[in-house]
Amino acid sequence: MWRFVKPALWTLGVLATAGLAFWLVLAMNIPYKSAAAPDTTPETTSASTTAPPPSGPTMDTAYVTDVRPGPDDRTVLLHVTLPTCVEVPETKVADGNDRVDVDVRFRRPGGGADCPPAPTDVPVRLRTPIGLRPVFVNTSDSWGQGPGGWRRCDRFLSCTPPADHCDPRWIGHLEARAEAEFSGTTRACDQHWLIHDLQRHSAEPPHRVVYRWAGDTWADFASPKGGGCGEILAAEPKFPTALCKDLAPPA
């Protein structure tokens, strides 16, 4: 039996000795040192900026110089001027009941390629016959059919000018043509003759202009300085005196 007791006592002695040593370490207050993490150098951001990616093709708006009928009543041809090195233009069409909207764009090659411009026709296919509908190109530029064929529409008169030649839209059209900065005053008007005082600039007095109807627009022929009919009749004896006899000078 002694041979079993002896190993047990030896084991207990070892454990007691280890416990005593651990207690002494705690009593001496020896700081515990953990395993230090390896030193690392923080990443630094380079002061230089990343170079931009190479420029690729960009989309430009094509400028339409003319609109013509195509080979059938559902096709119109947009006459544009494009660089010769671009691909076929891209078109988006909205075929409405009272107008047709077309967006025409093209891809310009990247890398600053320089190539000469050349005219070309871009056909636009519609789902219904064009009829008398105007064509609006790139939102604001409008084209319509008139007695002389297709033409660019006026921003005041639109594609269908008013039948009344004294309509305010005709007055706005002639003021824009004269580059007037302010709305003027119409002194007299019938379907063939017009007297209008233009206000071109705020620092200038009104400038009187007399017009005759020239078939499709107002054409000026006199700029009287005074009132009445004298200067007007000197320029055009056929002018009706009823429109000018009571006129005061422009002011």
Side-chain angles (χ1 to χ4, degrees):
M1 180 175 180
W2 172 249
R3 61 178 182 173
F4 296 105
V5 173
K6 187 176 181 179
L9 292 176
W10 184 82
T11 302
L12 289 174
V14 172
L15 292 175
T17 302
L20 179 62
F22 181 72
W23 180 85
L24 288 175
V25 170
L26 293 177
M28 294 174 66
N29 196 25
I30 299 174
Y32 177 78
K33 184 178 181 181
S34 61
D39 293 336
T40 58
T41 302
E43 294 184 1
T44 58
T45 303
S46 174
S48 62
T49 58
T50 304
S55 59
T58 59
M59 295 296 290
D60 287 348
T61 300
Y63 180 68
V64 177
T65 58
D66 193 15
V67 176
R68 299 193 302 271
D72 56 65
D73 61 359
R74 297 192 180 194
T75 306
V76 292
L77 298 177
L78 306 183
H79 194 64
V80 300
T81 299
L82 298 175
T84 54
C85 54
V86 304
E87 301 174 0
V88 176
E90 298 180 9
T91 59
K92 294 181 180 179
V93 183
D95 193 351
N97 293 328
D98 57 351
R99 59 185 277 176
V100 175
D101 289 88
V102 184
D103 190 43
V104 187
R105 298 181 183 274
F106 64 92
R107 295 186 182 276
R108 186 182 297 275
D114 185 17
C115 46
T120 185
D121 285 333
V122 178
V124 176
R125 181 69 178 174
L126 309 175
R127 61 179 177 82
T128 57
I130 182 64
L132 297 177
R133 291 177 297 168
V135 176
F136 285 76
V137 183
N138 299 329
T139 305
S140 59
D141 191 20
S142 58
W143 294 77
Q145 303 176 64
W150 285 84
R151 64 180 181 180
R152 183 179 275 109
C153 301
D154 185 84
R155 67 187 182 99
F156 288 98
L157 304 175
S158 187
C159 295
T160 307
D164 180 9
H165 302 161
C166 298
D167 188 283
R169 286 175 289 174
W170 278 112
I171 306 302
H173 169 75
L174 66 87
E175 287 184 334
R177 195 174 62 196
E179 299 182 351
E181 295 181 357
F182 302 93
S183 298
T185 303
T186 297
R187 300 301 182 183
C189 183
D190 64 15
Q191 298 304 301
H192 304 285
W193 309 97
L194 168 66
I195 302 174
H196 188 74
D197 290 351
L198 289 171
Q199 186 69 32
R200 286 198 173 96
H201 308 289
S202 59
E204 297 180 0
H207 177 69
R208 179 161 295 168
V209 184
V210 186
Y211 302 83
R212 66 164 60 87
W213 184 253
D216 59 355
T217 190
W218 287 109
D220 62 283
F221 66 89
S223 298
K225 305 298 182 184
C229 296
E231 295 174 84
I232 298 176
L233 294 176
E236 175 53 81
K238 295 181 180 179
F239 191 89
T241 57
L243 297 179
C244 57
K245 63 180 181 179
D246 298 325
L247 280 180

